[in-house]
Amino acid sequence: MTIEERLDEVRTRIAAAAREADRTPEAVTLVAVSKTFDAEAIRPAILHGQRVFGENRVQESHGKWPELKAETPGIELHLIGPLQSNKAAEAVALFDVIETVDREKIARALAEEMVKQDRRLRLYVQVNTGLEPQKAGIVPQDTVDFVTLCRSELGLDIVGLMCIPPADENPGPHFALLAKLAGQCGIERLSMGMSGDYETAIAFGATSVRVGSAIFGHR
Ligand SMILES: *Cc1c(COP(=O)(O)O)cnc(C)c1O
């Protein structure tokens, strides 16, 4: 299958999963995860109408996205990988949405950079729903306080929560937990679901799904 065909199939399945959950297809945004693929491989997806993309490394994104963004207006680029504070300036300059805010140090660095660059990004707080030691994200019980700090003290535009459930577990309970935490924070957007489980995530209320290999193929 071509990238265009795979993109069509993912779009069709997103729409079906949304309807199944009594939601409208437009309520779910597809974030096409293009990490490890070069500009040449990404261009067909853009030509096929895809505008929202996710990348997990700042450095790698710098090598391809300034050019791709210059070619096509209206691209929205999401950072979905861990961010170090020494990369905050670069990240604020290149990305439109950062989904991986998970500690005070990075929240402060982003707040400072956004003022400096006069750019206001939408942000998600990443939650480590599985309490995995090797995984980024704030622990569930600290989420409400952290979101309050980001919003009230730092003035950040926290629009959503994001999670990556443990690879070897049923993702449903993790999606449900993220939705519950969002309710407690008064947050509307939920970034959850990848190639293997995006339909499940939509059933649990995902407003965006991050799909890579189902569109671009194996990495
Ligand atoms: C790579 C990645 C994805 C996409 O994973 P696929 O299984 O290829 O769809 C989604 N979210 C994050 C945070 C990722 O790093």
Side-chain angles (χ1 to χ4, degrees):
M1 276 212 284
T2 63
I3 285 183
E4 289 88 341
E5 286 166 341
R6 285 196 292 251
L7 197 48
D8 283 341
E9 183 180 327
V10 170
R11 286 171 177 159
T12 302
R13 287 173 58 170
I14 287 173
R19 285 195 201 93
E20 186 74 24
D22 280 325
R23 306 176 57 206
T24 63
E26 297 75 39
V28 184
T29 301
L30 171 60
V31 179
V33 177
S34 49
K35 64 189 186 198
T36 78
F37 291 93
D38 61 14
E40 210 63 25
I42 297 168
R43 235 174 239 116
I46 297 174
L47 288 171
H48 204 56
Q50 184 63 28
R51 290 294 178 270
V52 186
F53 290 87
E55 287 282 346
N56 70 339
R57 288 168 194 267
V58 177
Q59 212 58 45
E60 183 192 333
S61 304
H62 247 278
K64 51 188 173 181
W65 280 104
E67 180 192 357
L68 290 169
K69 277 185 147 190
E71 286 170 14
T72 308
I75 298 276
E76 182 180 294
L77 193 59
H78 291 223
L79 178 63
I80 60 169
L83 178 60
Q84 307 301 323
S85 35
N86 63 2
K87 294 270 171 62
E90 266 184 289
V92 166
L94 181 62
F95 290 89
D96 303 289
V97 177
I98 293 176
E99 299 201 11
T100 50
V101 180
D102 67 350
R103 58 197 188 281
E104 191 171 335
K105 188 175 178 203
I106 199 68
R108 286 190 186 278
L110 289 171
E112 219 170 276
E113 269 311 318
M114 288 193 279
V115 170
K116 237 189 245 172
Q117 298 186 28
D118 195 21
R119 259 176 74 76
R120 204 165 160 73
L121 277 62
R122 280 166 289 144
L123 306 173
Y124 285 67
V125 166
Q126 181 176 355
V127 184
N128 187 355
T129 57
L131 299 171
E132 293 174 283
Q134 82 285 7
K135 204 166 265 176
I138 193 141
V139 301
Q141 66 176 44
D142 293 345
T143 303
V144 176
D145 285 348
F146 181 62
V147 168
T148 304
L149 170 95
C150 289
R151 283 175 158 171
S152 309
E153 197 179 316
L154 304 176
L156 296 177
D157 194 8
I158 306 290
V159 298
L161 299 182
M162 178 271 223
C163 76
I164 310 168
D168 55 353
E169 284 182 32
N170 173 7
H174 296 275
F175 297 153
L177 174 58
L178 199 71
K180 182 179 139 202
L181 290 170
Q184 289 170 359
C185 297
I187 276 179
E188 307 228 315
R189 300 197 57 83
L190 293 169
S191 170
M192 53 193 200
M194 321 202 308
S195 290
D197 56 17
Y198 65 90
E199 287 151 305
T200 306
I202 290 167
F204 280 94
T207 59
S208 60
V209 292
R210 309 178 307 268
V211 180
S213 46
I215 296 168
F216 294 103
H218 288 294
R219 290 183 291 269

